[in-house]
Amino acid sequence: MTEACEQGRGQVVDVIVVMLDLVGFVSFTEEAGDGAAHEQARHLVQCADRELRASGGRVLKGLGDGILGMVPPDTDALEAVRRTARVVSDAGVEWRLRAAAHHGAPILRSGDLFGRDVNLAARLCALASPGEVVITVDGNSDGPRASTDDIELVAVRGRTDPVPVQRFAL
């Protein structure tokens, strides 16, 4: 634990960091207006929070056109993200989601997550295609891997080493 954490400024937590992003949100906002966009973003946060809570996690905050959430490390992150995507699309959201999940040890402080693991999840979410979730491969976990042939090494801005990931349809 870092000195700042030891002084009560946060706590290192073992979690899966989850990022979800609404693809096409800027265009939607321009066409439909701020009120409609706010309503859709609010709906995303509510749906995602309900689904992540069902997995023992929660949404920590809305990010305008996405969410930052977390679930316990033993959660099937792929299934939790897929359930969230289904619920959002069943409610008539007019675009697709992209997502990322990364098992790490960020700092939890005042209901928010901080650190390199959060940054990595955000970068991976940006690399995901519409309708896709990118999940880091944890060598100590059985994870959702279909096979080791499906592991891809991706370059992530700000990281010196490539990151092993798998891509799945939502």
Side-chain angles (χ1 to χ4, degrees):
M1 213 182 301
T2 67
E3 183 178 324
C5 292
E6 291 170 356
Q7 293 175 1
R9 296 187 194 134
Q11 173 184 359
V12 175
V13 291
D14 180 24
V15 297
I16 297 173
V17 179
V18 176
M19 301 288 287
L20 295 171
D21 178 58
L22 292 170
V23 178
F25 192 76
V26 172
S27 298
F28 177 82
T29 302
E30 288 299 316
E31 292 173 18
D34 291 340
H38 176 266
E39 185 59 30
Q40 291 297 315
R42 186 181 66 77
H43 179 71
L44 171 66
V45 170
Q46 289 176 337
C47 290
D49 192 53
R50 184 173 56 247
E51 293 306 314
L52 294 180
R53 284 185 185 277
S55 297
R58 64 188 168 112
V59 168
L60 296 164
K61 65 180 173 181
L63 303 172
D65 63 346
I67 64 100
L68 167 63
M70 66 181 190
V71 292
D74 59 348
T75 300
D76 182 340
L78 177 60
E79 184 54 32
V81 171
R82 282 180 168 163
R83 275 196 328 267
T84 301
R86 276 193 302 271
V87 168
V88 169
S89 66
D90 288 349
V93 172
E94 300 175 19
W95 46 75
R96 297 177 76 185
L97 287 173
R98 67 176 152 217
H102 169 64
H103 181 199
I107 296 170
L108 178 63
R109 184 183 75 217
S110 301
D112 200 357
L113 288 179
F114 301 90
R116 64 192 304 263
D117 293 311
V118 178
N119 296 341
L120 177 57
R123 299 265 193 240
L124 294 175
C125 189
L127 293 175
S129 297
E132 180 178 67
V133 57
V134 176
I135 299 179
T136 54
V137 175
D138 181 351
N140 300 321
S141 166
D142 291 331
R145 283 181 260 190
S147 79
T148 54
D149 294 338
D150 297 330
I151 297 173
E152 173 186 354
L153 294 175
V154 296
V156 177
R157 192 176 82 210
R159 292 256 176 160
T160 54
D161 296 325
V163 178
V165 301
Q166 287 190 291
R167 296 173 184 265
F168 297 93
L170 287 175

